[in-house]
Short mmCIF file of all heavy atoms in Angstrom, two decimals:
data_model
loop_
_atom_site.label_atom_id
_atom_site.label_comp_id
_atom_site.label_asym_id
_atom_site.label_seq_id
_atom_site.Cartn_x
_atom_site.Cartn_y
_atom_site.Cartn_z
N MET A 1 -217.87 -72.80 118.65
CA MET A 1 -218.64 -71.59 119.07
C MET A 1 -219.82 -71.33 118.15
O MET A 1 -220.88 -71.07 118.59
CB MET A 1 -217.71 -70.37 119.16
CG MET A 1 -218.43 -69.15 119.40
SD MET A 1 -218.71 -68.89 121.11
CE MET A 1 -219.44 -67.26 121.10
N GLY A 2 -219.61 -71.47 116.87
CA GLY A 2 -220.71 -71.17 115.90
C GLY A 2 -221.88 -72.13 115.99
O GLY A 2 -223.03 -71.74 115.84
N LYS A 3 -221.54 -73.38 116.29
CA LYS A 3 -222.64 -74.36 116.43
C LYS A 3 -223.46 -74.07 117.62
O LYS A 3 -224.70 -74.30 117.63
CB LYS A 3 -222.06 -75.77 116.44
CG LYS A 3 -223.05 -76.82 116.37
CD LYS A 3 -222.42 -78.21 116.23
CE LYS A 3 -223.47 -79.28 116.06
NZ LYS A 3 -222.88 -80.59 115.91
N ARG A 4 -222.85 -73.73 118.73
CA ARG A 4 -223.60 -73.44 119.95
C ARG A 4 -224.41 -72.15 119.84
O ARG A 4 -225.40 -72.00 120.57
CB ARG A 4 -222.62 -73.34 121.13
CG ARG A 4 -222.03 -74.62 121.55
CD ARG A 4 -221.30 -74.44 122.81
NE ARG A 4 -220.53 -73.21 122.91
CZ ARG A 4 -219.47 -73.05 123.58
NH1 ARG A 4 -218.94 -74.01 124.27
NH2 ARG A 4 -218.87 -71.87 123.58
N ALA A 5 -224.06 -71.23 119.00
CA ALA A 5 -224.75 -69.97 118.88
C ALA A 5 -226.14 -70.13 118.20
O ALA A 5 -226.96 -69.22 118.34
CB ALA A 5 -223.88 -68.94 118.14
N PHE A 6 -226.34 -71.23 117.53
CA PHE A 6 -227.63 -71.37 116.77
C PHE A 6 -228.43 -72.55 117.28
O PHE A 6 -229.02 -73.24 116.52
CB PHE A 6 -227.34 -71.49 115.33
CG PHE A 6 -226.86 -70.17 114.71
CD1 PHE A 6 -225.57 -70.09 114.26
CD2 PHE A 6 -227.68 -69.04 114.62
CE1 PHE A 6 -225.09 -68.87 113.78
CE2 PHE A 6 -227.20 -67.90 114.11
CZ PHE A 6 -225.93 -67.77 113.66
N ASN A 7 -228.42 -72.82 118.58
CA ASN A 7 -229.30 -73.83 119.11
C ASN A 7 -230.64 -73.19 119.41
O ASN A 7 -230.83 -72.00 119.34
CB ASN A 7 -228.70 -74.52 120.31
CG ASN A 7 -228.40 -73.57 121.46
OD1 ASN A 7 -228.90 -72.48 121.49
ND2 ASN A 7 -227.51 -74.02 122.32
N LEU A 8 -231.66 -74.02 119.67
CA LEU A 8 -233.01 -73.56 119.79
C LEU A 8 -233.16 -72.50 120.88
O LEU A 8 -233.80 -71.41 120.64
CB LEU A 8 -233.97 -74.68 119.98
CG LEU A 8 -235.41 -74.30 120.07
CD1 LEU A 8 -235.86 -73.60 118.73
CD2 LEU A 8 -236.30 -75.51 120.33
N PRO A 9 -232.70 -72.65 122.10
CA PRO A 9 -232.83 -71.59 123.10
C PRO A 9 -232.24 -70.28 122.71
O PRO A 9 -232.84 -69.21 122.95
CB PRO A 9 -232.17 -72.14 124.35
CG PRO A 9 -232.19 -73.65 124.15
CD PRO A 9 -232.11 -73.85 122.67
N ASN A 10 -231.09 -70.30 122.02
CA ASN A 10 -230.46 -69.06 121.58
C ASN A 10 -231.25 -68.39 120.44
O ASN A 10 -231.38 -67.17 120.46
CB ASN A 10 -229.04 -69.29 121.17
CG ASN A 10 -228.12 -69.49 122.33
OD1 ASN A 10 -228.45 -69.22 123.47
ND2 ASN A 10 -226.90 -70.03 122.07
N ILE A 11 -231.77 -69.17 119.56
CA ILE A 11 -232.63 -68.60 118.48
C ILE A 11 -233.89 -67.96 119.01
O ILE A 11 -234.25 -66.87 118.60
CB ILE A 11 -232.92 -69.69 117.45
CG1 ILE A 11 -231.69 -70.16 116.71
CG2 ILE A 11 -234.02 -69.18 116.51
CD1 ILE A 11 -231.86 -71.35 115.82
N LEU A 12 -234.48 -68.56 120.07
CA LEU A 12 -235.64 -67.99 120.68
C LEU A 12 -235.29 -66.69 121.41
O LEU A 12 -236.03 -65.68 121.37
CB LEU A 12 -236.30 -68.95 121.69
CG LEU A 12 -236.91 -70.18 121.03
CD1 LEU A 12 -237.41 -71.14 122.10
CD2 LEU A 12 -238.03 -69.82 120.09
N THR A 13 -234.11 -66.66 121.98
CA THR A 13 -233.68 -65.44 122.70
C THR A 13 -233.40 -64.32 121.67
O THR A 13 -233.76 -63.18 121.85
CB THR A 13 -232.43 -65.72 123.49
OG1 THR A 13 -232.74 -66.68 124.47
CG2 THR A 13 -231.93 -64.47 124.21
N TYR A 14 -232.77 -64.68 120.56
CA TYR A 14 -232.51 -63.69 119.51
C TYR A 14 -233.84 -63.11 118.99
O TYR A 14 -233.97 -61.92 118.71
CB TYR A 14 -231.72 -64.30 118.35
CG TYR A 14 -230.35 -64.81 118.70
CD1 TYR A 14 -229.78 -65.86 118.06
CD2 TYR A 14 -229.60 -64.15 119.69
CE1 TYR A 14 -228.54 -66.31 118.36
CE2 TYR A 14 -228.33 -64.62 120.02
CZ TYR A 14 -227.81 -65.70 119.36
OH TYR A 14 -226.56 -66.14 119.71
N ALA A 15 -234.83 -63.96 118.83
CA ALA A 15 -236.13 -63.52 118.36
C ALA A 15 -236.80 -62.53 119.34
O ALA A 15 -237.39 -61.54 118.93
CB ALA A 15 -237.10 -64.71 118.17
N ARG A 16 -236.66 -62.85 120.68
CA ARG A 16 -237.17 -61.86 121.63
C ARG A 16 -236.43 -60.55 121.60
O ARG A 16 -237.01 -59.46 121.78
CB ARG A 16 -237.15 -62.50 123.06
CG ARG A 16 -238.19 -63.50 123.29
CD ARG A 16 -238.30 -63.84 124.74
NE ARG A 16 -237.07 -64.32 125.31
CZ ARG A 16 -236.67 -65.62 125.27
NH1 ARG A 16 -237.36 -66.55 124.66
NH2 ARG A 16 -235.54 -65.96 125.88
N ILE A 17 -235.11 -60.61 121.40
CA ILE A 17 -234.33 -59.37 121.32
C ILE A 17 -234.78 -58.55 120.17
O ILE A 17 -234.90 -57.33 120.20
CB ILE A 17 -232.82 -59.72 121.22
CG1 ILE A 17 -232.37 -60.26 122.59
CG2 ILE A 17 -232.04 -58.45 120.86
CD1 ILE A 17 -230.92 -60.85 122.54
N LEU A 18 -235.11 -59.20 119.00
CA LEU A 18 -235.59 -58.46 117.87
C LEU A 18 -237.04 -57.99 118.01
O LEU A 18 -237.43 -57.00 117.37
CB LEU A 18 -235.48 -59.32 116.60
CG LEU A 18 -234.02 -59.64 116.15
CD1 LEU A 18 -234.11 -60.68 114.96
CD2 LEU A 18 -233.33 -58.41 115.74
N ALA A 19 -237.77 -58.63 118.89
CA ALA A 19 -239.16 -58.24 119.10
C ALA A 19 -239.26 -56.90 119.82
O ALA A 19 -240.29 -56.15 119.59
CB ALA A 19 -239.88 -59.33 119.90
N VAL A 20 -238.33 -56.59 120.63
CA VAL A 20 -238.40 -55.34 121.40
C VAL A 20 -238.48 -54.11 120.46
O VAL A 20 -239.39 -53.27 120.63
CB VAL A 20 -237.28 -55.21 122.42
CG1 VAL A 20 -237.25 -53.83 123.08
CG2 VAL A 20 -237.40 -56.28 123.48
N PRO A 21 -237.55 -53.94 119.50
CA PRO A 21 -237.69 -52.79 118.63
C PRO A 21 -238.92 -52.79 117.76
O PRO A 21 -239.46 -51.75 117.43
CB PRO A 21 -236.41 -52.85 117.77
CG PRO A 21 -235.54 -53.82 118.36
CD PRO A 21 -236.33 -54.67 119.30
N MET A 22 -239.38 -53.98 117.44
CA MET A 22 -240.64 -54.09 116.66
C MET A 22 -241.84 -53.56 117.48
O MET A 22 -242.71 -52.87 116.92
CB MET A 22 -240.86 -55.53 116.15
CG MET A 22 -239.85 -55.92 115.12
SD MET A 22 -239.84 -57.64 114.50
CE MET A 22 -241.44 -58.26 114.88
N VAL A 23 -241.91 -53.89 118.73
CA VAL A 23 -243.02 -53.40 119.56
C VAL A 23 -242.89 -51.86 119.70
O VAL A 23 -243.89 -51.15 119.62
CB VAL A 23 -242.99 -54.10 120.95
CG1 VAL A 23 -243.96 -53.40 121.95
CG2 VAL A 23 -243.37 -55.55 120.84
N VAL A 24 -241.70 -51.40 119.90
CA VAL A 24 -241.47 -49.93 120.00
C VAL A 24 -241.86 -49.24 118.74
O VAL A 24 -242.56 -48.18 118.75
CB VAL A 24 -240.03 -49.63 120.41
CG1 VAL A 24 -239.74 -48.13 120.27
CG2 VAL A 24 -239.68 -50.14 121.78
N LEU A 25 -241.57 -49.85 117.59
CA LEU A 25 -241.94 -49.31 116.30
C LEU A 25 -243.47 -49.25 116.16
O LEU A 25 -244.02 -48.27 115.64
CB LEU A 25 -241.35 -50.13 115.18
CG LEU A 25 -241.70 -49.64 113.81
CD1 LEU A 25 -241.07 -48.27 113.48
CD2 LEU A 25 -241.17 -50.67 112.78
N CYS A 26 -244.08 -50.27 116.64
CA CYS A 26 -245.63 -50.30 116.56
C CYS A 26 -246.21 -49.14 117.37
O CYS A 26 -247.14 -48.50 116.96
CB CYS A 26 -246.14 -51.64 117.04
SG CYS A 26 -245.92 -52.97 115.90
N PHE A 27 -245.63 -48.91 118.61
CA PHE A 27 -246.13 -47.86 119.43
C PHE A 27 -245.85 -46.47 118.82
O PHE A 27 -246.64 -45.55 118.90
CB PHE A 27 -245.56 -47.90 120.84
CG PHE A 27 -246.20 -48.98 121.66
CD1 PHE A 27 -245.39 -49.80 122.43
CD2 PHE A 27 -247.58 -49.16 121.70
CE1 PHE A 27 -246.00 -50.80 123.23
CE2 PHE A 27 -248.10 -50.14 122.44
CZ PHE A 27 -247.38 -50.97 123.21
N PHE A 28 -244.66 -46.36 118.17
CA PHE A 28 -244.30 -45.12 117.45
C PHE A 28 -245.30 -44.90 116.32
O PHE A 28 -245.78 -43.75 116.13
CB PHE A 28 -242.90 -45.18 116.92
CG PHE A 28 -242.45 -44.02 116.14
CD1 PHE A 28 -242.16 -42.80 116.77
CD2 PHE A 28 -242.37 -44.09 114.79
CE1 PHE A 28 -241.78 -41.68 116.07
CE2 PHE A 28 -241.99 -42.97 114.06
CZ PHE A 28 -241.71 -41.75 114.69
N LEU A 29 -245.56 -45.90 115.53
CA LEU A 29 -246.51 -45.77 114.42
C LEU A 29 -247.90 -45.46 114.93
O LEU A 29 -248.65 -44.71 114.30
CB LEU A 29 -246.50 -47.07 113.57
CG LEU A 29 -245.25 -47.27 112.68
CD1 LEU A 29 -245.36 -48.64 111.99
CD2 LEU A 29 -245.04 -46.18 111.74
N GLU A 30 -248.27 -46.09 116.05
CA GLU A 30 -249.63 -45.83 116.60
C GLU A 30 -249.75 -44.35 116.97
O GLU A 30 -250.80 -43.76 116.73
CB GLU A 30 -249.81 -46.70 117.85
CG GLU A 30 -251.21 -46.79 118.29
CD GLU A 30 -251.54 -45.69 119.32
OE1 GLU A 30 -250.65 -45.26 120.06
OE2 GLU A 30 -252.73 -45.27 119.38
N GLY A 31 -248.72 -43.73 117.47
CA GLY A 31 -248.77 -42.31 117.75
C GLY A 31 -248.80 -41.42 116.52
O GLY A 31 -249.45 -40.38 116.47
N ARG A 32 -248.08 -41.86 115.49
CA ARG A 32 -248.06 -41.12 114.25
C ARG A 32 -249.33 -41.20 113.48
O ARG A 32 -249.71 -40.32 112.71
CB ARG A 32 -246.92 -41.54 113.40
CG ARG A 32 -245.56 -41.21 113.92
CD ARG A 32 -245.38 -39.76 113.64
NE ARG A 32 -243.96 -39.44 113.80
CZ ARG A 32 -243.48 -38.22 113.82
NH1 ARG A 32 -244.29 -37.22 113.73
NH2 ARG A 32 -242.21 -38.04 114.00
N LEU A 33 -250.01 -42.38 113.53
CA LEU A 33 -251.14 -42.61 112.69
C LEU A 33 -252.46 -42.31 113.37
O LEU A 33 -253.55 -42.69 112.92
CB LEU A 33 -251.21 -44.09 112.27
CG LEU A 33 -249.99 -44.62 111.42
CD1 LEU A 33 -250.08 -46.07 111.14
CD2 LEU A 33 -249.89 -43.80 110.12
N GLN A 34 -252.44 -41.58 114.50
CA GLN A 34 -253.64 -41.16 115.20
C GLN A 34 -254.53 -42.39 115.58
O GLN A 34 -255.55 -42.61 115.07
CB GLN A 34 -254.45 -40.21 114.38
CG GLN A 34 -253.68 -39.01 113.82
CD GLN A 34 -253.11 -38.17 114.96
OE1 GLN A 34 -253.69 -38.03 115.99
NE2 GLN A 34 -251.96 -37.57 114.75
N SER A 35 -253.99 -43.12 116.52
CA SER A 35 -254.65 -44.32 117.14
C SER A 35 -254.98 -45.38 116.10
O SER A 35 -256.16 -45.73 115.91
CB SER A 35 -255.90 -43.89 117.94
OG SER A 35 -256.96 -43.53 117.06
N SER A 36 -254.00 -45.92 115.48
CA SER A 36 -254.18 -46.95 114.52
C SER A 36 -254.40 -48.30 115.29
O SER A 36 -253.53 -48.70 116.05
CB SER A 36 -252.96 -47.08 113.64
OG SER A 36 -252.98 -48.28 112.91
N GLU A 37 -255.56 -48.93 115.07
CA GLU A 37 -255.84 -50.19 115.72
C GLU A 37 -254.90 -51.25 115.23
O GLU A 37 -254.50 -52.17 116.00
CB GLU A 37 -257.29 -50.62 115.44
CG GLU A 37 -258.29 -49.69 116.15
CD GLU A 37 -258.22 -49.80 117.63
OE1 GLU A 37 -257.96 -50.92 118.21
OE2 GLU A 37 -258.35 -48.75 118.30
N PHE A 38 -254.45 -51.21 113.98
CA PHE A 38 -253.59 -52.22 113.41
C PHE A 38 -252.25 -52.21 114.20
O PHE A 38 -251.71 -53.29 114.51
CB PHE A 38 -253.32 -52.03 111.93
CG PHE A 38 -252.38 -52.96 111.35
CD1 PHE A 38 -252.80 -54.23 111.12
CD2 PHE A 38 -251.06 -52.61 111.00
CE1 PHE A 38 -251.90 -55.25 110.52
CE2 PHE A 38 -250.20 -53.57 110.45
CZ PHE A 38 -250.60 -54.83 110.21
N ALA A 39 -251.70 -51.04 114.45
CA ALA A 39 -250.43 -50.94 115.16
C ALA A 39 -250.52 -51.52 116.62
O ALA A 39 -249.65 -52.28 117.12
CB ALA A 39 -249.92 -49.55 115.20
N ARG A 40 -251.68 -51.27 117.27
CA ARG A 40 -251.90 -51.82 118.63
C ARG A 40 -252.04 -53.35 118.59
O ARG A 40 -251.41 -54.02 119.43
CB ARG A 40 -253.14 -51.20 119.19
CG ARG A 40 -253.04 -49.76 119.57
CD ARG A 40 -254.34 -49.28 120.16
NE ARG A 40 -254.29 -47.85 120.38
CZ ARG A 40 -255.25 -47.20 120.94
NH1 ARG A 40 -256.35 -47.82 121.33
NH2 ARG A 40 -255.16 -45.88 121.14
N TRP A 41 -252.77 -53.86 117.68
CA TRP A 41 -252.92 -55.30 117.63
C TRP A 41 -251.59 -55.95 117.18
O TRP A 41 -251.34 -57.09 117.61
CB TRP A 41 -254.08 -55.69 116.65
CG TRP A 41 -255.40 -55.39 117.30
CD1 TRP A 41 -256.30 -54.43 116.93
CD2 TRP A 41 -256.02 -56.13 118.34
NE1 TRP A 41 -257.44 -54.49 117.70
CE2 TRP A 41 -257.27 -55.49 118.61
CE3 TRP A 41 -255.63 -57.18 119.11
CZ2 TRP A 41 -258.13 -55.98 119.58
CZ3 TRP A 41 -256.52 -57.67 120.14
CH2 TRP A 41 -257.75 -57.07 120.34
N SER A 42 -250.89 -55.31 116.33
CA SER A 42 -249.56 -55.88 115.96
C SER A 42 -248.64 -55.94 117.14
O SER A 42 -247.92 -56.95 117.36
CB SER A 42 -248.95 -55.04 114.82
OG SER A 42 -249.75 -55.07 113.69
N ALA A 43 -248.56 -54.87 117.92
CA ALA A 43 -247.75 -54.87 119.13
C ALA A 43 -248.15 -55.97 120.08
O ALA A 43 -247.31 -56.67 120.66
CB ALA A 43 -247.83 -53.48 119.79
N LEU A 44 -249.47 -56.15 120.26
CA LEU A 44 -249.94 -57.21 121.12
C LEU A 44 -249.52 -58.54 120.62
O LEU A 44 -249.14 -59.43 121.36
CB LEU A 44 -251.43 -57.12 121.25
CG LEU A 44 -252.12 -58.21 122.11
CD1 LEU A 44 -251.66 -58.12 123.58
CD2 LEU A 44 -253.62 -58.16 121.98
N ALA A 45 -249.67 -58.82 119.29
CA ALA A 45 -249.32 -60.13 118.67
C ALA A 45 -247.81 -60.39 118.86
O ALA A 45 -247.46 -61.48 119.23
CB ALA A 45 -249.72 -60.16 117.23
N ILE A 46 -246.98 -59.34 118.65
CA ILE A 46 -245.55 -59.52 118.86
C ILE A 46 -245.25 -59.85 120.27
O ILE A 46 -244.45 -60.73 120.58
CB ILE A 46 -244.81 -58.28 118.33
CG1 ILE A 46 -244.93 -58.13 116.82
CG2 ILE A 46 -243.35 -58.38 118.69
CD1 ILE A 46 -244.54 -56.77 116.32
N PHE A 47 -245.88 -59.18 121.21
CA PHE A 47 -245.68 -59.37 122.62
C PHE A 47 -246.08 -60.76 123.06
O PHE A 47 -245.38 -61.45 123.77
CB PHE A 47 -246.42 -58.38 123.46
CG PHE A 47 -246.18 -58.51 124.94
CD1 PHE A 47 -245.04 -58.03 125.55
CD2 PHE A 47 -247.18 -59.17 125.71
CE1 PHE A 47 -244.84 -58.23 126.92
CE2 PHE A 47 -246.98 -59.30 127.08
CZ PHE A 47 -245.83 -58.86 127.67
N ILE A 48 -247.18 -61.22 122.53
CA ILE A 48 -247.68 -62.63 122.90
C ILE A 48 -246.72 -63.65 122.32
O ILE A 48 -246.36 -64.65 122.97
CB ILE A 48 -249.09 -62.82 122.36
CG1 ILE A 48 -250.07 -62.01 123.23
CG2 ILE A 48 -249.50 -64.26 122.40
CD1 ILE A 48 -251.51 -61.96 122.72
N ALA A 49 -246.27 -63.43 121.06
CA ALA A 49 -245.33 -64.35 120.47
C ALA A 49 -244.01 -64.42 121.29
O ALA A 49 -243.45 -65.54 121.53
CB ALA A 49 -245.00 -63.99 118.99
N ALA A 50 -243.53 -63.25 121.75
CA ALA A 50 -242.34 -63.22 122.58
C ALA A 50 -242.58 -63.89 123.88
O ALA A 50 -241.65 -64.59 124.42
CB ALA A 50 -241.89 -61.78 122.77
N SER A 51 -243.76 -63.77 124.45
CA SER A 51 -244.07 -64.42 125.71
C SER A 51 -244.11 -65.95 125.53
O SER A 51 -243.62 -66.64 126.40
CB SER A 51 -245.44 -63.96 126.25
OG SER A 51 -245.39 -62.56 126.46
N VAL A 52 -244.64 -66.40 124.45
CA VAL A 52 -244.68 -67.85 124.22
C VAL A 52 -243.29 -68.40 124.01
O VAL A 52 -242.94 -69.43 124.60
CB VAL A 52 -245.57 -68.16 122.98
CG1 VAL A 52 -245.42 -69.60 122.51
CG2 VAL A 52 -247.04 -67.85 123.31
N THR A 53 -242.44 -67.67 123.29
CA THR A 53 -241.04 -68.15 123.16
C THR A 53 -240.31 -68.11 124.54
O THR A 53 -239.48 -68.98 124.72
CB THR A 53 -240.27 -67.32 122.17
OG1 THR A 53 -240.11 -66.00 122.58
CG2 THR A 53 -240.89 -67.40 120.79
N ASP A 54 -240.65 -67.18 125.40
CA ASP A 54 -240.02 -67.17 126.71
C ASP A 54 -240.47 -68.42 127.51
O ASP A 54 -239.67 -69.02 128.21
CB ASP A 54 -240.41 -65.89 127.42
CG ASP A 54 -239.63 -65.70 128.76
OD1 ASP A 54 -238.43 -66.02 128.74
OD2 ASP A 54 -240.23 -65.30 129.72
N TYR A 55 -241.75 -68.78 127.40
CA TYR A 55 -242.28 -69.93 128.05
C TYR A 55 -241.58 -71.21 127.50
O TYR A 55 -241.12 -72.12 128.28
CB TYR A 55 -243.78 -70.08 127.91
CG TYR A 55 -244.30 -71.33 128.47
CD1 TYR A 55 -244.55 -71.51 129.83
CD2 TYR A 55 -244.62 -72.39 127.62
CE1 TYR A 55 -245.03 -72.63 130.29
CE2 TYR A 55 -245.17 -73.57 128.14
CZ TYR A 55 -245.35 -73.70 129.48
OH TYR A 55 -245.89 -74.88 129.99
N LEU A 56 -241.44 -71.32 126.22
CA LEU A 56 -240.78 -72.49 125.60
C LEU A 56 -239.29 -72.54 125.93
O LEU A 56 -238.78 -73.63 126.02
CB LEU A 56 -240.98 -72.43 124.09
CG LEU A 56 -242.43 -72.58 123.56
CD1 LEU A 56 -242.42 -72.42 122.04
CD2 LEU A 56 -242.99 -73.93 123.94
N ASP A 57 -238.66 -71.36 126.09
CA ASP A 57 -237.27 -71.36 126.39
C ASP A 57 -236.99 -71.86 127.85
O ASP A 57 -235.90 -72.40 128.11
CB ASP A 57 -236.69 -69.94 126.18
CG ASP A 57 -235.25 -69.85 126.22
OD1 ASP A 57 -234.58 -70.90 126.02
OD2 ASP A 57 -234.76 -68.76 126.35
N GLY A 58 -237.93 -71.64 128.69
CA GLY A 58 -237.77 -72.08 130.08
C GLY A 58 -237.23 -71.02 130.90
O GLY A 58 -236.58 -70.99 131.83
#
């Protein structure tokens, strides 16, 4: 079971699962920092990275 849990498709899925709270955190920080461009661009970068991993995962 342990060996199957750490194959490439599962690792990409785990990364996408972790990306969701990071995007939410960026939006939370954007609201707290009075329209921080860095938080918006960070959220976009995380979303694009998650999208690419979804494409690679199939």
Side-chain angles (χ1 to χ4, degrees):
M1 171 85 177
K3 188 174 185 178
R4 289 189 320 208
F6 291 110
N7 57 20
L8 184 59
N10 285 345
I11 291 171
L12 293 175
T13 300
Y14 298 148
R16 283 192 304 274
I17 290 170
L18 292 175
V20 172
M22 290 176 19
V23 169
V24 171
L25 179 66
C26 286
F27 285 135
F28 177 76
L29 288 176
E30 193 270 331
R32 288 285 194 192
L33 299 177
Q34 307 300 326
S35 73
S36 168
E37 291 295 321
F38 179 74
R40 289 182 186 181
W41 286 108
S42 297
L44 177 66
I46 294 167
F47 180 79
I48 290 172
S51 299
V52 169
T53 62
D54 189 41
Y55 175 78
L56 294 175
D57 192 17

